[in-house]
Amino acid sequence: MTTAPAAAPAPIPTKGTPFRGRIRGRVLVLLCFMYAISYIDRTNISTALPHITEEFGLTESAAGYVVAAFSLPYALLQVFGGTISEKAGPRRALFVITVVWGVATLWTGLAVGFWTLLAARLLLGLSEAAAFPSATQAMSRWIPRDRNGFAQGVVHSAARLGNALAPLLVAYFIAISGWRLAFFATALLSVAWGIVWFVAFRDRPEDARGITATELAELPPVETRATRPPVPWRALAKQVLPVSFVDFGYGWTLWVFLTWIPTFLSDEYDLEITAFAWFTTAVLLAGVVGDTVGGMLSDRIIHRGGNSRHARRLVLVVGLGGSLVCLLPLLVAGQSLAVATVSLALSFFFLELCNANLWAIPMDVAPQWSGTASGFMNTGFGVAGVVSPIVFGTLIEASGWQIPFAISCVLLAAAAVVAWVMDPQRLTMTDGVLEVGVPAAERDGTR
């Protein structure tokens, strides 16, 4: 393959392309429900963990291995999952994925000890590995390019809403019938969503009933959404690998929030489940706001004539740096519950400014291979999910909470530095020619 300068795209409008009155709005709503359910399924174990460890006699380290079991196949199969979704199409891919993760969630509720619980979490990670790359592939076909950040912000806000609801839902089910019922209910919800998706969604917007010529004209070029040239692996890795490192730093801290905040509040402040569930929900709700704000903020910078790469990087640095600063009070032992809750909530808000931008970058950089590129990027998050719960749990047992939080601050700082210096460039292929570089309009600040 040869390289050639990329052709300049049409300038992005001052206002974002509308969703109201468009079929893509329904697609985005469906994906919001999927993201919310997926995070309820993967994080409900955190709230149930004190009860599970008591019933099965697990140590903190063993609990960390159970949580991390999700992330091992999740990390290893991200790129593969993204490629499969591009070949099979997001309609079939997401249907199969949600049915399998529904089975895995059901299996979690039927677990009888450490090994069955571990196996259920491994299957859940295996099935969810391709979920977000497949969803990103669906968005690359249905979402106008000037709304990439907004769309990713909205769906990840739904995911964080799932995070925030999970503690309350699990606490409710535990109160009425024990922790297992929470997994049975979400398993049923997952399968139901998969059926609705398969009936309602179409891989090609052209095949959707009732779509207008106006909406089709607003979508990405046909060659982006309807064809898949061979993946330029070397060029893709060069552009996305630094983003994967940033995603690792982000993911490490996110897994701290998703895994250990209920235990932290329970241990440090001697809270009952009904109390720490509400405090955990308050912390996680800050992420719902952060996700939407982060995606809208970078898109707004672009609409006002900013460079898309600079817009994404700027929000990443602000988010990572702000999250670090807000975690600093937790490095001092003996903080009040109010200070700890506010610090955690603000830290999570800033952290979630990053999420939409991390997922928008693969759509910006490799629109024709957005599933593979987003899987490559999210491998960093998956690896963090393997390492973070185990290392964090081991350090808690050895030294308490301050050192694990300090390590999180160091990783946030490193990720912020890489985010500022990285320079991912767009890849497109036309007639077998790989085009690498920044379009002239983008260099001039119009995109």
Side-chain angles (χ1 to χ4, degrees):
M1 287 184 292
T2 60
T3 62
I12 288 181
T14 301
K15 293 184 178 180
T17 311
F19 278 83
R20 182 176 298 179
R22 306 292 198 269
I23 294 177
R24 59 173 167 267
R26 302 176 210 166
V27 172
L28 197 61
V29 169
L30 269 177
L31 290 174
C32 284
F33 277 103
M34 186 274 285
Y35 275 67
I37 295 167
S38 73
Y39 263 89
I40 292 173
D41 280 349
R42 72 175 70 173
T43 62
N44 51 13
I45 196 169
S46 298
T47 304
L49 206 54
H51 294 266
I52 294 173
T53 54
E54 181 180 357
E55 180 173 333
F56 295 159
L58 303 179
T59 64
E60 297 287 358
S61 297
Y65 278 104
V66 168
V67 175
F70 166 89
S71 295
L72 183 60
Y74 187 85
L76 295 177
L77 297 175
Q78 282 291 307
V79 176
F80 176 75
T83 303
I84 288 296
S85 73
E86 289 171 357
K87 291 182 178 180
R91 180 173 181 246
R92 285 184 293 173
L94 284 175
F95 170 70
V96 173
I97 287 165
T98 51
V99 170
V100 174
W101 99 42
V103 171
T105 304
L106 177 65
W107 188 351
T108 306
L110 296 173
V112 295
F114 173 78
W115 291 108
T116 51
L117 195 60
L118 193 76
R121 295 291 294 177
L122 285 168
L123 180 60
L124 184 65
L126 176 69
S127 58
E128 288 204 18
F132 288 4
S134 297
T136 300
Q137 175 64 207
M139 284 186 273
S140 73
R141 302 180 184 204
W142 276 92
I143 303 300
R145 286 181 181 169
D146 69 300
R147 303 308 298 273
N148 285 348
F150 171 79
Q152 289 288 358
V154 168
V155 295
H156 284 282
S157 289
R160 295 301 165 259
L161 186 59
N163 291 154
L165 291 176
L168 297 179
L169 291 173
V170 175
Y172 171 76
F173 286 122
I174 289 174
I176 64 172
S177 187
W179 62 269
R180 297 178 186 274
L181 182 59
F183 296 93
F184 299 155
T186 52
L188 180 63
L189 192 60
S190 301
V191 175
W193 184 91
I195 295 171
V196 172
W197 172 260
F198 191 79
V199 171
F201 181 77
R202 293 294 178 269
D203 286 334
R204 288 164 38 92
E206 295 90 336
D207 298 335
R209 182 179 300 176
I211 195 166
T212 65
T214 298
E215 181 166 4
L216 283 174
E218 294 168 343
L219 295 178
V222 173
E223 64 269 16
T224 296
R225 63 180 189 261
T227 64
R228 182 182 177 271
V231 178
W233 290 103
R234 181 176 296 180
L236 190 65
K238 182 179 179 181
Q239 305 305 324
V240 180
L241 189 58
V243 190
S244 298
F245 178 83
V246 176
D247 195 41
F248 174 84
Y250 159 83
W252 170 284
T253 308
L254 178 63
W255 278 108
V256 170
F257 279 92
L258 301 186
T259 305
W260 293 111
I261 296 308
T263 304
F264 169 71
L265 294 172
S266 177
D267 287 355
E268 290 293 290
Y269 302 100
D270 197 26
L271 299 178
E272 297 295 331
I273 184 170
T274 52
F276 75 67
W278 280 104
F279 280 103
T280 302
T281 295
V283 170
L284 297 180
L285 280 174
V288 177
V289 180
D291 267 297
T292 302
V293 170
M296 293 178 66
L297 183 59
S298 63
D299 277 359
R300 180 64 62 87
I301 294 171
I302 296 169
H303 293 151
R304 296 196 173 198
N307 180 291
S308 64
R309 293 173 302 145
H310 175 70
R312 309 296 188 208
R313 288 183 302 178
L314 179 61
V315 177
L316 284 173
V317 171
V318 170
L320 294 165
S323 183
L324 187 163
V325 171
C326 293
L327 276 183
L328 292 178
L330 298 180
L331 304 186
V332 180
Q335 295 289 352
S336 69
L337 177 59
V339 170
T341 302
V342 171
S343 295
L344 289 169
L346 288 175
S347 179
F348 198 50
F349 167 79
F350 278 105
L351 186 70
E352 287 305 288
L353 293 179
C354 304
N355 201 14
N357 291 279
L358 286 167
W359 282 95
I361 289 173
M363 297 174 71
D364 295 339
V365 169
Q368 290 166 294
W369 308 280
S370 56
T372 301
S374 60
F376 201 133
M377 179 277 298
N378 203 40
T379 300
F381 175 81
V383 172
V386 176
V387 177
S388 178
I390 295 174
V391 174
F392 210 89
T394 302
L395 288 174
I396 291 168
E397 286 186 350
S399 62
W401 292 91
Q402 281 67 50
I403 291 179
F405 280 128
I407 292 174
S408 300
C409 290
V410 171
L411 288 172
L412 286 170
V417 171
V418 174
W420 184 250
V421 301
M422 69 184 185
D423 190 26
Q425 300 185 43
R426 182 174 300 156
L427 303 176
T428 55
M429 186 177 291
T430 305
D431 298 327
V433 178
L434 179 65
E435 301 170 343
V436 183
V438 187
E442 189 167 332
R443 287 198 301 270
D444 296 338
T446 58
R447 184 175 178 86

